[in-house]
Amino acid sequence: MTRLAGWGRFRPVETRLARMRDDGDVAAALAGGTALIARGNGRAYGDSAVSPGLTLDMRGMDRMLSFDADRGVLVAEAGVLLADVIAAFFPQGWFPAVTPGTKFVSLGGAIAADVHGKNHHVDGGFGAFVDWVEVMGADGRIARAEAGSELFDWTLGGMGLTGVILRAQIRLRPVETGWIVQDMRATQTLAATIDMMEATNDAPYSVAWLDCVTTGVMMGRGLAMLGRHAGLEDLPREKRRKPFATPQKPVLRLPVDLPAAALNGVTRRVFNAAYYWNGRRKPGPRLVDWDSYFYPLDAILDWNRGYGRAGFLQFQCALPQEAARPGMAALLEAIAASGEASVLSVLKRFGAERGRFSFPMAGYTLALDFPANDRSLKLMERLDAITLDHGGRFYLAKDARMPRAVMEAADGRVAAFRAMRAQSGAKGLFVSAQSERLGL
């Protein structure tokens, strides 16, 4: 048995871990009848990719099977990482059309969570660029689910609970350079931050960091980082000869767990103030390399060790457009009042809702990190209640502790999801610690 946890390292689960290398391995695992769940690279924050029974390590299925270099269409196995896709095809002018905040997520994980990026308000989630996905069901048969089919729509965002994702065909985005034109804009209030994001809703990429320490009239001040892929004409002459050449960075790693006390109220206040004023000193457009713009946290491998051995929890909710302003204000007020300020506080605009069980809804989403301790857990109960009061829902890829009753109150799609699982035979066989906790 192995003790296994998600990226947040909160409450590890005893599980039997088995490496999958082909369809036959997955079929044999299913034939054993043990409750199981597939796991990619372990970047889901909570317990959605670990099973109390058997956990299938899909990193052994990491082959890229075909690539249409004219259209940017890739067929690959579920264990391929977005980092692998970028390394192979970015130098040829192709980039993932949708990417979360880490390139170390697996293709299967990205589909299972229907991950979103800084461009959801324009392009939708990862699933919007998936043509088909092959899933091994409870009977051991492989089904190819085309976009728009019932199985496809449940699998996107279904957290691996519809079956084991084996392969998929995805479409990449053509790009001319390895650079992003980033437009940094500082705001002094939450209302100003949201006003800016509304006014720039046509920006291809949009994200804002919020200072969740400052209270009063400046509560919710932030740094909005708009972006678009730079064309050749955006580059200075010396960069045009090698437009995909970007600065090589040293590989940094946290070698040990930091003491839990390292992230206390004082250090979080200092960080928030320093980050805000540093960003405010660099307003306007400038060129940023793709890795720094999309994946700033990937710059330090094992950054999750910075929260200490007890790990950390991420809270991410989405609020509908009409409730976003008062809802976000209430969330920030609760955080400030608790004294448990988050270092990472990310606000994004969501576009239209898609899929049967995907997280995004038209409106805004806020993501926050907290050290795992009793004070943070109590604060998140308060944030749950505020989210429910404003008609919001929660991101299962980040969840590690939500009670079943909160999930049921937040998401009216739960009953249909349960019924689908019961009818397909998935219930009882595809089981994660999270699905047990939430009664999915």
Side-chain angles (χ1 to χ4, degrees):
M1 298 293 283
T2 301
R3 282 174 59 80
L4 200 60
W7 184 244
R9 306 170 73 202
F10 179 66
R11 292 177 182 167
V13 174
E14 291 279 345
T15 186
R16 186 159 57 89
L17 186 64
R19 183 85 161 179
M20 301 292 104
R21 300 196 180 279
D22 54 35
D23 295 355
D25 286 350
V26 179
L30 287 173
T34 302
L36 57 83
I37 197 71
R39 179 185 179 91
N41 201 34
R43 288 298 175 128
Y45 282 61
D47 50 0
S48 58
V50 55
S51 175
L54 175 63
T55 301
L56 307 185
D57 176 1
M58 301 300 290
R59 284 305 316 279
M61 295 181 66
D62 62 350
R63 291 166 283 255
M64 298 193 204
L65 305 174
S66 69
F67 184 66
D68 182 333
D70 293 326
R71 298 187 300 138
V73 176
L74 171 68
V75 177
E77 291 183 326
V80 169
L81 302 185
L82 285 192
D84 302 328
V85 174
I86 294 168
F89 304 114
F90 196 42
Q92 300 179 37
W94 297 99
F95 191 73
V98 171
T99 177
T102 175
K103 57 184 176 290
F104 298 123
V105 65
S106 69
L107 181 58
I111 292 170
D114 195 13
V115 295
H116 54 272
K118 298 177 175 69
N119 57 334
H120 190 279
H121 62 293
V122 174
D123 294 317
F126 194 85
F129 295 87
V130 178
D131 293 327
W132 53 258
V133 56
E134 288 187 345
V135 181
M136 187 174 288
D139 57 4
R141 299 171 62 182
I142 299 173
R144 174 173 292 191
E146 306 280 350
S149 69
E150 187 170 357
L151 176 59
F152 183 92
D153 284 347
W154 280 122
T155 298
L156 269 293
M159 305 307 295
L161 298 173
T162 62
V164 178
I165 297 169
L166 302 172
R167 286 168 289 278
Q169 177 170 296
I170 66 173
R171 281 168 280 127
L172 305 180
R173 176 189 306 279
V175 293
E176 289 187 355
T177 78
W179 297 88
I180 302 295
V181 179
Q182 175 182 281
D183 185 358
M184 175 80 81
R185 303 187 186 188
T187 61
Q188 295 191 12
T189 66
L190 174 64
T193 305
I194 294 180
D195 284 346
M196 176 175 294
M197 297 183 81
E198 289 291 312
T200 56
N201 198 38
D202 58 345
Y205 297 106
S206 174
V207 63
W209 169 88
L210 298 183
D211 177 353
C212 61
V213 173
T214 302
T215 58
V217 294
M218 290 193 294
M219 183 188 74
R221 67 180 181 178
L223 300 170
M225 287 157 275
L226 313 176
R228 62 175 174 83
H229 290 280
L232 283 172
E233 72 280 4
D234 294 307
L235 302 189
R237 180 168 302 180
E238 65 272 16
K239 286 186 167 62
R240 293 181 186 174
R241 286 193 305 113
K242 295 181 178 180
F244 291 97
T246 53
Q248 295 295 309
K249 302 169 186 171
V251 177
L252 305 177
R253 183 183 293 273
L254 273 182
V256 298
D257 298 325
L258 295 184
L263 276 177
N264 55 43
V266 174
T267 57
R268 280 176 281 189
R269 281 194 294 274
V270 170
F271 173 86
N272 276 263
Y275 191 83
Y276 176 76
W277 287 106
N278 184 55
R280 187 169 175 165
R281 289 191 301 106
K282 305 172 184 174
R286 68 186 180 102
L287 289 174
V288 178
D289 68 88
W290 63 273
D291 207 10
S292 298
Y293 184 76
F294 289 106
Y295 312 112
L297 290 175
D298 285 347
I300 302 178
L301 303 179
D302 300 329
W303 64 264
N304 54 348
R305 303 184 73 172
Y307 285 88
R309 297 185 65 179
F312 73 101
L313 297 151
Q314 185 157 108
F315 176 91
Q316 184 168 357
C317 67
L319 299 182
Q321 182 72 20
E322 62 276 14
R325 289 176 186 265
M328 291 298 169
L331 291 168
L332 292 179
E333 287 170 357
I335 294 166
S338 74
E340 297 297 312
S342 171
V343 170
L344 182 150
S345 307
V346 176
L347 182 73
K348 292 177 189 168
R349 179 87 156 81
F350 273 162
E353 176 177 323
R354 300 180 183 180
R356 298 282 187 98
F357 211 53
S358 292
F359 163 64
M361 62 166 66
Y364 281 83
T365 182
L366 181 65
L368 306 152
D369 282 355
F370 299 104
N373 56 46
D374 291 342
R375 299 185 304 280
S376 295
L377 288 167
K378 187 173 182 61
L379 169 61
M380 281 186 277
E381 290 178 4
R382 176 68 184 134
L383 302 184
D384 287 349
I386 294 171
T387 302
L388 293 179
D389 287 345
H390 291 84
R393 66 167 65 130
F394 305 93
Y395 192 17
L396 295 184
K398 302 290 182 67
D399 163 60
R401 52 86 228 171
M402 180 168 47
R404 174 175 174 164
V406 172
M407 175 73 183
E408 291 173 342
D411 201 327
R413 305 171 300 178
V414 168
F417 187 70
R418 287 174 178 154
M420 177 277 299
R421 280 182 27 90
Q423 186 175 13
S424 68
K427 183 177 176 61
L429 182 57
F430 302 114
V431 176
S432 65
Q434 181 183 58
S435 74
E436 284 199 329
R437 174 166 49 83
L438 298 177
L440 296 176

